Amino acid sequence: MSHERQSMSGKSISGTFSAGDLRRMLARLRDVMAGVGAVQGRLDKVVALIAQDLRADVCSCYVMRAGEVLELFATFGLAQKAVHQTRLRVGEGLVGEIAAHARPLALADAWSHPQFVYRPETGEDFFRSLMGVPMIQAGRVIGVLVVQTREERPFNDWEVETLETVAMVIAELMAATQVVKREELFHSEGNATLHVRLVGAILHPGVGIGCAVMHKPHVRIGRLVSDDPVTEQYRLHTALGSLRQEVDALIDGSRGEESEYGDILEVYRMFADDRGWISRISEMISSGLTAEAAVQKVHDDTRTRMLQVNDPILRERLQDLDDLANRLLNILTGGDKRPELPDNAILICRSIGPTELLNYDRRKLKGLVMEEGSPTMHAAVVAKALDIPVLAQVQGALARIDALDVIVLDANAGQIILRPSEEVIDLYTAAIDARTKRRADYAAVRDLPAVTQDGVKISLNINAGFLLDMQGLAETNADGIGLYRTEMPFLAMPTLPDVRAQYALYKQVIDGAKGKPVTFRTLDVGGDKIAVSSGQEEEDNPAMGWRSIRLTLDRPALLRQQLRAMIKAAEGAALRVMFPMIANIAEFDAAKRIFALEMDRHLKGGGLAPKTVKVGTMLEVPSLLWQLDALVERVDFISIGTNDLMQFMFAADRGNTRLANRYDTLSPPVLKMIHTVTQHCEKANVEVSVCGEMAGKPLDALALVALGCRNLSMSATGIGPVRDIIRAATVSDIRSFVLDLMESDDASLRERLRAFARDRGIAAQL
Ligand code: PEP
Ligand code: MG
């Protein structure tokens, strides 16, 4: 295959450059790096070789140094005196821009780019065009590789891809030859024994004390370049066979004790068979890479592309891809299968896939700390089920924590303490003991009803999305599943499973609930999460884009199939269905019509009717608040989704950690909104519940009850504490306090409500 790299001017950077040329170039690079002599000398040769092969006037290699600074490490074409002198901060200049976003830049006229920074010492006055790519190793940008030409000329995709392949090979070779030592890359803490505090986002609360174990997802690739594509293709296909077997074994294993993981793991089977993925890897092998280097390259490409997508959920699916690619790399390189852990281990990683997490011995695992990660990632779901405290988005975790460092992970306060003093350890040990005792206390009262002191019964339900979550129902003795997020198991799948597969899943959920009510919510996905149509454009604001009910009303076959599966699964049982992101009455009517069509079809086809049928809506788009009169006439129930409702009311992205504490659910606008809804529902005798995160926080739950909510749905861990506070509360007392408070101008009412609750001896631990 020969790629013509035609530029708009008709001239390309190196005339015609084929896959064969690339293969030869990679082989030469490998030989130079593997050669003898000082590292600097070898790098100098490398940049000269690239410039020569790509017929560029300049090739420069910038390497990331301590303090997020990129240093010109070697250059062909720029002034040699600038080497080790020219430094750019990440985000500064074009090189800094490439490193900051981990994505390539290809500019015909670099000087006219707003980020361009002129560095006179480099003598770059003569060079107009610039193409630069990040050098990525183990998922981290370790430098930037740049070529420049005198003439002003554009670059095409093949040229960018060629430079990316070269950059990947150099990055691996640099790591293998330890061009820059790890300690040189990052700031040192100064005094290594000083305790250090790092903060992060809480994915699952709890406290863990142990020693740091670095999760090593990255497999060191020994051989990068091969002259024998046939053998490499064979290796790839054999490894894919083993990968499928491994995934099948995990699925089989999950049928027993951990049946709850089954649905996550099923997705892996689909990935492992994805033809697009496999053929991209094959292509890279044909261009001269070994099977493992090709897997790594395709994975790096996918990663870079996915990181540019603005959709947090899609980005989370990256973990699954990382997980699978690492498994495949492990097979190809004969790496570790089951990592050993010390007795009390706190696992440190950039990010982790669910199967990687399951590979560790959970009895020894006391916590998980990630540099990335977010609440809906699959590993967080697994960690939650295993009740392992998890802190995510801990900046600098990998650079600042060393293996075997003693760590206190305080995922209640969102922090970790590195190298803690004896006093700190004692303090936290006491907290762990207290938590163990509290959990035992919750377990002991799990059968007590959630009834307030003045006899108001509150229905407590759990939110679920994976079969894994079902065990929470039994453990907490909740009243039912108030929100079943049907999209969760399907998010990482290339297409939505057929009716039969969906039916099997919903049936398991209904059976698993053992007669307790389950409220299914129809798909709440964006078009980019499940391939429902081809050629779909990227959206600027996916949370407000073509998602959820908007998508399923535009693709009614999806909704029909889903409803068909639910109706069939609920034969003879209670069926509760609700629609997400309803913004107006017409959308609800349209969705309900489709439901009626499917119900009709089911009955006419001889299907058994569900015992009862209730059709409701999520209230999570503020526009519905001004359509409540019409809405309550049509729905059987309303479930308030405070997560989305908050983000749309305050125009504050719910995934943005910087805004996480800026607006409070316990604030006048939110409480007034809830009150408006409960009043409408009360008048129309329509059931109302709250199923956003708010419902699972004891103080918030108290306010919700005060405002008239009698039905709350939350993650299973919230049930114990919320039951506790409800049993201690007197609704009439709190109601008048909250109604008065609602008229205040304060941004948050939390402290005042907390003080009120404490005064009345309600839940001292609030
Ligand atoms: C909500 O928006 O409050 C909600 C419960 O739905 P989700 O968190 O799935 O968007
Ligand atoms: Mg929502």
Side-chain angles (χ1 to χ4, degrees):
M1 182 176 46
S2 170
H3 296 254
E4 281 292 333
R5 283 158 302 124
Q6 284 303 120
S7 66
M8 268 149 61
S9 65
K11 196 163 171 228
S12 69
I13 197 164
S14 56
T16 12
F17 192 84
S18 64
D21 292 334
L22 175 58
R23 197 158 53 228
R24 278 185 288 281
M25 177 161 118
L26 294 177
R28 276 203 299 277
L29 285 175
R30 177 196 52 193
D31 293 345
V32 172
M33 287 299 277
V36 288
V39 170
Q40 181 71 50
R42 282 184 267 162
L43 265 185
D44 291 344
K45 281 192 198 151
V46 163
V47 286
L49 199 147
I50 297 169
Q52 181 196 341
D53 275 16
L54 296 182
R55 289 183 213 158
D57 299 311
V58 174
C59 176
S60 311
C61 176
Y62 293 81
V63 172
M64 186 80 82
R65 306 304 305 267
E68 302 269 281
V69 168
L70 292 146
E71 179 179 310
L72 179 63
F73 231 76
T75 183
F76 172 88
L78 295 183
Q80 288 303 318
K81 67 174 190 308
V83 172
H84 301 303
Q85 299 304 319
T86 297
R87 290 175 156 229
L88 292 154
R89 286 189 313 278
V90 170
E92 184 189 16
L94 297 175
V95 169
E97 170 88 4
I98 294 163
H101 299 287
R103 61 174 182 242
L105 268 185
L107 305 165
D109 178 14
W111 288 63
S112 62
H113 192 283
Q115 282 286 99
F116 182 80
V117 181
Y118 173 60
R119 285 301 172 88
E121 75 276 11
T122 60
E124 63 184 334
D125 316 42
F126 308 114
F127 308 109
R128 296 306 296 188
S129 73
L130 178 146
M131 168 168 67
V133 297
M135 294 179 0
I136 297 173
Q137 207 263 332
R140 183 193 284 285
V141 176
I142 63 158
V144 172
L145 188 65
V146 175
V147 294
Q148 291 172 271
T149 65
R150 278 173 202 277
E151 65 175 322
E152 190 176 317
R153 57 161 305 274
F155 301 93
N156 63 28
D157 290 351
W158 163 245
E159 286 168 332
V160 173
E161 195 166 307
T162 299
L163 197 62
E164 280 180 329
T165 307
V166 170
M168 183 193 93
V169 169
I170 298 178
E172 292 290 341
L173 291 171
M174 278 177 61
T177 42
Q178 286 248 328
V179 168
V180 184
K181 299 207 166 34
R182 184 174 178 272
E183 2 5 316
E184 288 180 65
L185 285 172
F186 307 106
H187 275 310
S188 92
E189 299 300 347
N191 182 349
T193 57
L194 214 61
H195 88 237
V196 177
R197 181 176 165 271
L198 301 176
V199 294
I202 302 164
L203 295 200
H204 187 60
V207 174
I209 303 176
C211 61
V213 173
M214 314 311 280
H215 171 60
K216 292 208 183 63
H218 187 72
V219 183
R220 168 84 56 233
I221 298 175
R223 242 169 19 95
L224 289 151
V225 182
S226 162
D227 301 327
D228 185 1
V230 177
T231 306
E232 295 303 320
Q233 298 284 6
Y234 176 75
R235 288 184 63 229
L236 172 68
H237 286 95
T238 316
L240 281 167
S242 309
L243 177 69
R244 283 183 205 112
Q245 275 174 13
E246 275 191 11
V247 173
D248 284 350
L250 276 171
I251 293 173
D252 282 347
S254 79
R255 294 221 169 91
E257 171 215 353
E258 293 157 4
S259 61
E260 55 275 9
Y261 310 125
D263 40 11
I264 297 180
L265 300 174
E266 282 291 348
V267 173
Y268 278 64
R269 181 150 38 197
M270 305 188 69
F271 270 150
D273 283 331
D274 187 274
R275 259 182 256 129
W277 185 56
I278 296 168
S279 73
R280 286 277 298 136
I281 301 173
S282 286
E283 257 175 47
M284 292 317 301
I285 290 178
S286 306
S287 71
L289 295 181
T290 56
E292 48 271 50
V295 171
Q296 185 69 57
K297 170 75 174 74
V298 169
H299 185 56
D300 286 347
D301 288 349
T302 315
R303 224 176 181 282
T304 311
R305 253 185 299 118
M306 286 176 86
L307 282 171
Q308 288 163 24
V309 177
N310 228 348
D311 181 333
I313 298 187
L314 184 62
R315 289 174 63 156
E316 276 151 24
R317 296 292 78 85
L318 258 179
Q319 269 83 57
D320 294 347
L321 278 178
D322 281 344
D323 197 351
L324 202 75
N326 284 332
R327 255 176 201 275
L328 188 55
L329 286 173
N330 252 321
I331 296 169
L332 281 163
T333 57
D336 249 5
K337 289 258 164 13
R338 175 132 194 161
E340 267 303 311
L341 284 184
D343 272 351
N344 293 308
I346 307 279
L347 196 61
I348 317 292
C349 59
R350 180 171 54 76
S351 185
I352 192 167
T355 76
E356 286 177 306
L357 189 57
L358 286 169
N359 261 3
Y360 288 99
D361 182 344
R362 72 202 61 171
R363 285 162 310 178
K364 296 181 174 174
L365 201 55
K366 302 297 176 208
L368 174 63
V369 174
M370 290 183 279
E371 234 180 52
E372 297 176 358
S374 65
T376 44
M377 68 188 289
H378 281 156
V381 173
V382 170
K384 219 178 215 177
L386 303 177
D387 200 18
I388 299 167
V390 187
L391 206 60
Q393 296 160 19
V394 181
Q395 277 189 17
L398 289 176
R400 302 173 87 171
I401 303 173
D402 286 319
L404 301 182
D405 268 349
V406 175
I407 292 186
V408 168
L409 164 59
D410 177 359
N412 294 331
Q415 62 177 2
I416 57 178
I417 297 160
L418 274 182
R419 302 184 277 276
S421 63
E422 283 297 321
E423 291 80 17
V424 170
I425 294 182
D426 288 350
L427 214 67
Y428 277 100
T429 308
I432 293 175
D433 293 347
R435 180 166 184 257
T436 312
K437 182 177 175 308
R438 240 191 343 265
R439 304 192 115 228
D441 291 348
Y442 291 142
V445 297
R446 69 186 272 290
D447 295 326
L448 297 179
V451 177
T452 63
Q453 291 290 313
D454 47 349
V456 179
K457 161 90 179 98
I458 309 297
S459 167
L460 299 184
N461 300 274
I462 63 162
N463 293 345
F466 294 105
L467 292 175
L468 175 69
D469 299 325
M470 297 295 293
Q471 74 191 44
L473 190 58
E475 274 170 20
T476 60
N477 193 25
D479 296 309
I481 297 176
L483 165 64
Y484 192 90
R485 295 180 166 103
T486 56
E487 67 279 3
M488 296 295 275
F490 306 141
L491 276 181
M493 293 192 180
T495 50
L496 199 65
D498 61 13
V499 175
R500 196 182 319 178
Q502 288 192 54
Y503 157 77
L505 180 66
Y506 304 147
K507 179 100 175 78
Q508 277 191 69
V509 175
I510 292 176
D511 290 349
K514 300 199 170 80
K516 290 184 175 177
V518 178
T519 305
F520 287 105
R521 181 178 73 184
T522 62
L523 279 180
D524 184 3
V525 288
D528 44 1
K529 289 175 205 134
I530 292 185
V532 288
S533 66
S534 56
Q536 204 190 306
E537 297 137 31
E538 239 175 55
E539 297 185 331
D540 285 342
N541 290 303
M544 295 193 286
W546 190 57
R547 63 173 274 207
S548 201
I549 198 70
R550 302 162 185 185
L551 184 154
T552 50
L553 284 178
D554 287 354
R555 297 275 182 278
L558 279 181
L559 190 55
R560 290 193 69 152
Q561 285 175 10
Q562 194 176 27
L563 293 171
R564 194 173 303 168
M566 283 176 191
I567 292 169
K568 181 149 179 56
E571 280 188 323
L575 175 60
R576 294 171 60 89
V577 177
M578 64 180 172
F579 305 108
M581 289 292 287
I582 294 281
N584 59 32
I585 299 296
E587 284 177 345
F588 180 77
D589 284 348
K592 192 159 178 191
R593 252 193 317 274
I594 292 178
F595 179 83
L597 281 175
E598 277 307 319
M599 184 57 87
D600 202 38
R601 182 182 186 278
H602 176 79
L603 298 177
K604 284 203 178 115
L608 198 63
K611 198 162 69 190
T612 53
V613 177
K614 299 259 189 246
V615 181
T617 182
M618 290 282 290
L619 195 165
E620 48 187 351
V621 181
S623 60
L624 265 195
L625 293 169
W626 289 273
Q627 303 169 77
L628 285 172
D629 286 331
L631 191 66
V632 292
E633 304 248 302
R634 291 163 160 83
V635 296
D636 293 320
F637 63 91
I638 291 177
S639 190
I640 308 177
T642 46
N643 305 340
D644 275 316
L645 202 45
M646 277 287 287
Q647 84 162 340
F648 297 130
M649 277 176 72
F650 287 98
D653 180 350
R654 63 191 263 189
N656 187 331
T657 41
R658 284 205 183 157
L659 299 178
N661 297 317
R662 193 172 186 101
Y663 305 105
D664 199 347
T665 42
L666 289 182
S667 59
V670 178
L671 299 190
K672 279 184 184 167
M673 179 272 296
I674 303 269
H675 193 222
T676 306
V677 180
T678 53
Q679 279 184 313
H680 271 83
C681 289
E682 212 170 289
K683 215 160 42 175
N685 202 18
V686 164
E687 177 193 324
V688 59
S689 66
V690 175
C691 65
E693 293 300 315
M694 180 181 183
K697 298 182 188 158
L699 205 57
D700 295 57
L702 204 61
L704 292 172
V705 167
L707 293 169
C709 296
R710 298 292 174 261
N711 191 314
L712 303 174
S713 193
M714 63 200 79
S715 62
T717 45
I719 298 277
V722 170
R723 181 185 276 123
D724 227 24
I725 201 165
I726 283 172
R727 289 178 54 79
T730 306
V731 177
S732 53
D733 185 22
I734 296 168
R735 183 173 170 83
S736 54
F737 181 75
V738 171
L739 290 182
D740 284 348
L741 214 52
M742 226 162 60
E743 299 309 320
S744 133
D745 292 331
D746 293 354
S748 168
L749 308 170
R750 188 165 297 276
E751 286 318 312
R752 287 164 73 183
L753 194 60
R754 196 194 311 270
F756 175 88
R758 281 197 177 141
D759 273 357
R760 280 161 179 68
I762 304 173
Q765 76 270 24
L766 276 177

